[in-house]
Amino acid sequence: MRGSSPPLRSIVAVTGAVVLLAAGLLAGTTVPAHAAATITNPGFESSGGTQTPAGWSESSSTGQQSAGFIEAGGRSGSYRLSHWASSAYQVETYQQLTGLAAGSYTLRAWVRSGGGQVAAYLALRGCGGAEQRASIPTTSTWTQVSVTTQVTAGVCTAGIVSNAQAGNWINVDDVEFVSSGGNPNPSPNLIRGVDISTLKKSEDRGGVYRDGAGNQRDALQLLRSGGANYARLKVWVNPADGYNNRARVLQMATRIKAQGMRLLVDFHYSDTWADPGKQYKPAAWNSYSFSQLRDAVYNHTYDVLNALKAQGTTADMVQVGNEINDGMLWPDGRSSNWANLAALLTAGSTAVKAVNSSTLVMLHLAEGGNNSQHRWWFDQATSRGVPFDVIGVSHYLYWHGSLASLQNNLNDLASRYGRPVVVAETAYGFTLNADDAEPNIFNSSLQQAGGYPATPQGQADALRAVFNVVRSVPNGRGLGVFYWEPTWTAVPGNGWDPDNPSSGNGWENQALFDYSDRALPGLSVLGAV
C-alpha cells in the first residue's frame, strides 16, 4: 500500500498518449458478443513493473505523468497501478475502447486510497453523453467501485484520475469494462428496495416530491420509475402519533402494490424505535408473563399480515424484529436469554407462515461488517431451530465498517447458513448542510468515516458500491439492498419523536431528494444496478 513513504522504485517520467484497442476477454468474465472491446491489461501484469502500464496511457495537465506508475503488490497478481508524488499532482491513467454497440456499460475496479485528495475517481467520458464519475473512497483494504454510462457514439474512454496533495496515494487493480448485462449475478429479481415508513406522515404534513426537472409527482411513482421494485414499511404496535401502525401500513401497502412493487413488513414489536440500543415493549404488553408475551408476538404478527392478505396486498417478506443484535422485547427476549429469544422469534415466524407459506421470513441484525458477532448470533438461532429464510443486515458505511468487511461477512453468512442475504438498510449523505434546526446524524466526521464525499454524486457512488457488494455474493445469494428513508425530507411535524410533533428530522441530508424536493442522482442508481 502506498503511504507517505517514497515509491518502491524510481519513477521515470514518460510522456505521450497511446490509444490501444482491446484484443481479448478478461479471465473468468463473460462479455456479451456485441461488446467489441474490453480493457487491455486489466490487472497491470503485462507491464512488468515499468512506468506506464501496457495498453494504457497517462496524461497530466501539470506535466506530472510520472505520478502514475506500476509497482509490486497487486490485489490478485504481482502488480498494481499507483498514483503518488512527493508534491501536489494531477494525473490520469486511461484507455479508450472502440467498436462498442450502443447500450449501457459499467467500469469496475478494485481500489485503495489514503484519502486527502482534491478528487480521486473512476471516469467514463467521450461515450456520447456527459462524463460519469465514481469517487474512490478512503480505504486501506481493497474495495470495488464502479461507474455506469450509456454509450451512443461507439467509443468510450475509461479513466483513473487523481487531483492530489503531496503524498496522497491510490492503488488500483483488476479493472473491468463490460456491458451492463455482464454484471455479476445478473437477476431481474434483484431487490432495489426503499424504506418509505415516514412517507405518509410527510405527505400529510405538506411534503412534496419532484422529478429532476422540478415537476411535482407522486413520491411512489418517482421511486418506481427510478428503479425501485420493493418497499419496506415498519410496524409499531400503538405509536403516539398514529403513524406506522396497522391501519397506516394497510393504506401504504395498497399504494405500493398498485405500483407493481413488492412489500417487506418490518415488525419492531414496540410503540417506538427498536434497534440494538433499545428494544422496548409496547406499553400494552408491559405486564405480560412470558407466555403471554410470546402469544402477543404471534397474534400481532398474524393480525397485521392477515389484514394485508385480506385486502389483496399480501406481504412478500417479513422481518421478525428490527436490528435485534441484543434481542427484542427487553428484558425477556434479550440475547443473554436465548431460550426466550428463540421462542419469541419462532412465534413470529410461525405466524408469518400461517398467513402465507410463501412469504419469506427475515432475521435482521445491524453492524453488517461484524462477522464474529453475526456468526455467534445465527449459530444460536439455528441451533435452537428458529425458522427463517433470509439473513438481513444494516450497513451504513460511516457506522458499520468498510465495504470489504460487509463483503466478507455476507459471503460467510450466505455460505455458512445456506440462506440468501440482503442489506436491509443503508444510506449516505448528499450534503453536510441542514434543512431544519435539528442537527443531522450524518456530519463531517461521519463523512470522513464513510469515505465518500458528501455530494449528490458521492451519495450515488456509495449506494452503487453497496449494491456491487451484494451482487458479488457467491452462488446468487445476494438478494439486494434497501435504501433507508429516501423520502424523509425536512417537513415540519414529521420529526424523529412520535411523542413530540415539534421534533426535527436529523435525516434529511440522506434522503434521495434535495432541499428543493428534486430527485437526486442516487435515485437513478436503483435503475442502473
Side-chain angles (χ1 to χ4, degrees):
M1 178 182 67
R2 169 68 62 224
S4 58
S5 59
L8 296 179
R9 46 85 188 123
S10 59
I11 303 172
V12 178
V14 176
T15 59
V18 181
V19 177
L20 297 178
L21 304 184
L25 298 180
L26 295 173
T29 302
T30 301
V31 180
H34 69 262
T38 187
I39 293 291
T40 295
N41 193 16
F44 307 103
E45 298 302 302
S46 299
S47 308
T50 59
Q51 165 68 49
T52 303
W56 296 81
S57 303
E58 286 173 336
S59 65
S60 172
S61 61
T62 55
Q64 295 164 289
Q65 289 89 342
S66 61
F69 53 90
I70 302 304
E71 63 181 347
R75 170 181 171 268
S76 60
S78 299
Y79 297 99
R80 68 193 183 207
L81 170 71
S82 292
H83 287 179
W84 178 89
S86 59
S87 60
Y89 65 94
Q90 297 182 31
V91 69
E92 177 180 16
T93 306
Y94 66 94
Q95 189 172 141
Q96 188 185 64
L97 302 109
T98 63
L100 299 173
S104 177
Y105 290 81
T106 296
L107 175 70
R108 288 193 296 269
W110 289 85
V111 302
R112 300 190 301 195
S113 172
Q117 296 92 344
V118 177
Y121 54 90
L122 303 184
L124 289 173
R125 55 184 171 78
C127 309
E131 178 176 325
Q132 301 298 313
R133 298 178 178 182
S135 297
I136 294 175
T138 303
T139 172
S140 61
T141 57
W142 287 107
T143 300
Q144 191 177 51
V145 297
S146 69
V147 59
T148 299
T149 194
Q150 294 293 318
V151 173
T152 60
V155 297
C156 192
T157 296
I160 302 159
V161 180
S162 291
N163 179 359
Q165 310 290 346
N168 292 163
W169 60 269
I170 64 169
N171 302 149
V172 182
D173 204 358
D174 299 328
V175 183
E176 299 176 277
F177 178 83
V178 295
S179 162
S180 292
N183 281 332
N185 305 328
S187 171
N189 296 318
L190 180 73
I191 291 173
R192 301 167 174 89
V194 286
D195 188 311
I196 53 169
S197 296
T198 62
L199 175 57
K200 177 61 177 168
K201 189 174 181 180
S202 174
E203 293 172 331
D204 289 350
R205 300 295 187 274
V208 298
Y209 302 89
R210 306 179 189 277
D211 60 23
N215 302 305
Q216 184 174 335
R217 294 176 55 189
D218 177 82
L220 265 175
Q221 291 178 354
L222 280 169
L223 293 168
R224 185 71 180 107
S225 62
N229 60 10
Y230 226 120
R232 180 184 191 235
L233 296 172
K234 68 172 174 274
V235 186
W236 289 337
V237 177
N238 187 27
D241 62 0
Y243 285 86
N244 302 117
N245 60 9
R246 177 183 184 273
R248 301 288 189 179
V249 167
L250 290 172
Q251 289 178 341
M252 291 302 296
T254 299
R255 292 175 59 187
I256 289 165
K257 292 286 187 171
Q259 291 293 330
M261 300 168 72
R262 287 172 285 172
L263 172 64
L264 167 60
V265 178
D266 174 15
F267 284 94
H268 282 225
Y269 301 112
S270 181
D271 293 334
T272 187
W273 302 99
D275 55 46
K278 51 188 179 296
Q279 294 280 339
Y280 306 133
K281 293 178 186 176
W285 301 3
N286 271 335
S287 62
Y288 285 1
S289 67
F290 181 74
S291 62
Q292 290 174 318
L293 194 63
R294 180 194 59 213
D295 292 346
V297 168
Y298 181 95
N299 292 333
H300 172 62
T301 306
Y302 185 94
D303 177 56
V304 173
L305 297 179
N306 195 49
L308 285 167
K309 180 180 178 181
Q311 73 171 12
T313 58
T314 301
D316 299 281
M317 191 185 306
V318 169
Q319 285 180 224
V320 178
N322 185 75
E323 295 189 333
I324 51 177
N325 302 55
D326 193 17
M328 62 188 196
L329 293 164
W330 292 350
D332 304 61
R334 290 198 91 137
S335 59
S336 56
N337 188 339
W338 253 101
N340 278 5
L341 178 54
L344 295 172
L345 294 173
T346 298
S349 180
T350 302
V352 174
K353 298 297 186 179
V355 173
N356 183 50
S357 61
S358 63
T359 297
L360 299 176
V361 173
M362 180 204 301
L363 298 182
H364 170 218
L365 306 183
E367 301 181 43
N370 193 339
N371 183 242
S372 60
Q373 182 195 59
H374 288 194
R375 271 192 169 209
W376 172 80
W377 199 98
F378 281 102
D379 280 354
Q380 296 289 330
T382 54
S383 69
R384 289 169 170 80
V386 175
F388 67 99
D389 304 302
V390 176
I391 293 173
V393 304
S394 296
H395 197 83
Y396 298 91
L397 291 170
Y398 48 81
W399 277 333
H400 297 148
S402 67
L403 291 164
S405 70
L406 175 64
Q407 186 80 73
N408 292 337
N409 189 37
L410 293 184
N411 290 357
D412 180 65
L413 295 177
S415 174
R416 185 176 179 87
Y417 304 105
R419 278 137 167 125
V421 293
V422 63
V423 173
E425 294 183 22
T426 195
Y428 205 83
F430 67 88
T431 181
L432 295 178
N433 298 324
D435 200 29
D436 66 7
E438 181 77 15
N440 284 336
I441 295 294
F442 184 86
N443 55 28
S444 58
S445 62
L446 290 184
Q447 183 272 323
Q448 185 176 4
Y452 288 86
T455 63
Q457 187 61 51
Q459 180 188 59
D461 293 341
L463 177 56
R464 185 180 292 107
V466 174
F467 266 106
N468 286 342
V469 166
V470 176
R471 298 195 73 143
S472 298
V473 174
N475 301 313
R477 286 185 172 141
L479 289 186
V481 176
F482 286 86
Y483 194 92
W484 199 74
E485 293 286 9
T487 58
W488 200 1
T489 53
V491 175
N494 190 25
W496 277 104
D497 189 353
D499 288 304
N500 179 8
S502 298
S503 63
N505 175 8
W507 202 259
E508 78 269 13
N509 67 331
Q510 296 186 73
L512 292 181
F513 293 85
D514 67 16
Y515 295 166
S516 298
D517 304 315
R518 295 192 182 201
L520 287 160
L523 179 56
S524 64
V525 171
L526 299 175
V529 292

